[in-house]
Amino acid sequence: MSTPTPSAWTLPVLCGSRCTLRTLRLDDAESLSRHGDDEAVWRNLFDGFPRPYTVEVARQWCAGGWQDFGLSWAIEVDGEAVGCISLRRDPEWMRCNAEAGYWLGQAFWGRGIATEALGLVRDWAWASFPELTRLYMRIFAWNAASTQVARRCGFHQEAHLPQSAYKNGEIVDLLLWGLYRPSERDAARMSS
């Protein structure tokens, strides 16, 4: 069974009490640039996230550049795009896995927004991809806030990978966090 290309998907709007996840629009570029062009945000992201994060870079992302990274939503708070969250299925024989990743403007940290956004994507992924059995996240070891987000969404640390990533001119440790599809027995136990 082949997976549709990202451009073939119509992303649903996912609503929570703290944020809404929706399709990226060109008019999000200025807001995303303002929130994303921040060293504190960039420090926790992989090299695919440019620095500086200019309006033009954000415009290219909103115009469809996101499709190279899987499925991506704008994280909207109070009518403004303040970050993004993505889900990328692994190809071929690893297609039962998908990597989740996000970034959020610093002004919105510590408010439960990232946790809610990841939970919305997690639940949508389980419902939308019957083949999917595992979600995972790669997080720099220094990023305690993202490890808390992963933990709150049910992820468990699968591995501590010493000296396995390169960021800002240095070799750093990486943490691998995973979450497995709940079995029918688990789902029945959670609902009772």
Side-chain angles (χ1 to χ4, degrees):
M1 175 180 197
S2 65
T3 302
T5 60
S7 59
W9 279 95
T10 300
L11 293 178
V13 174
L14 304 176
C15 297
S17 61
R18 293 177 173 90
C19 67
T20 299
L21 308 183
R22 60 161 174 78
T23 301
L24 289 152
R25 304 184 306 240
L26 279 177
D27 65 351
D28 292 329
E30 285 189 35
S31 176
L32 290 177
S33 173
R34 186 172 64 257
H35 293 291
D37 192 30
D38 177 342
E39 187 168 349
V41 170
W42 171 84
R43 180 176 188 271
N44 292 306
L45 300 173
F46 297 103
D47 286 346
F49 194 85
R51 177 112 169 102
Y53 195 67
T54 64
V55 172
E56 184 53 37
V57 167
R59 190 173 288 121
Q60 289 171 6
W61 173 258
C62 294
W66 61 268
Q67 293 178 17
D68 294 337
F69 294 89
L71 305 169
S72 293
W73 289 262
I75 301 173
E76 180 181 290
V77 176
D78 297 329
E80 180 182 20
V82 298
C84 293
I85 188 164
S86 300
L87 185 71
R88 181 177 60 202
R89 298 264 321 261
D90 288 353
E92 301 174 5
W93 61 279
M94 296 291 289
R95 69 185 171 270
C96 59
N97 296 276
E99 182 175 14
Y102 67 88
W103 70 268
L104 186 64
Q106 190 173 181
F108 297 88
W109 293 1
R111 295 171 42 185
I113 294 166
T115 300
E116 182 175 80
L118 181 58
L120 289 168
V121 168
R122 173 202 60 208
D123 294 348
W124 177 82
W126 292 146
S128 299
F129 300 109
E131 277 185 317
L132 194 62
T133 59
R134 177 176 167 266
L135 297 176
Y136 67 94
M137 298 177 69
R138 295 177 292 164
I139 302 171
F140 292 126
W142 64 57
N143 190 345
S146 282
T147 62
Q148 285 300 315
V149 167
R151 186 175 285 117
R152 287 184 189 120
C153 287
F155 287 70
H156 300 280
Q157 186 176 321
E158 296 177 325
H160 181 140
L161 307 169
Q163 302 178 29
S164 59
Y166 187 80
K167 181 63 180 183
N168 199 24
E170 65 180 289
I171 301 295
V172 297
D173 292 2
L174 195 65
L175 303 176
L176 182 62
W177 287 77
L179 175 66
Y180 297 87
R181 177 186 290 277
S183 67
E184 289 179 25
R185 184 182 64 201
D186 293 337
R189 188 176 65 229
M190 286 189 276
S191 65
S192 55

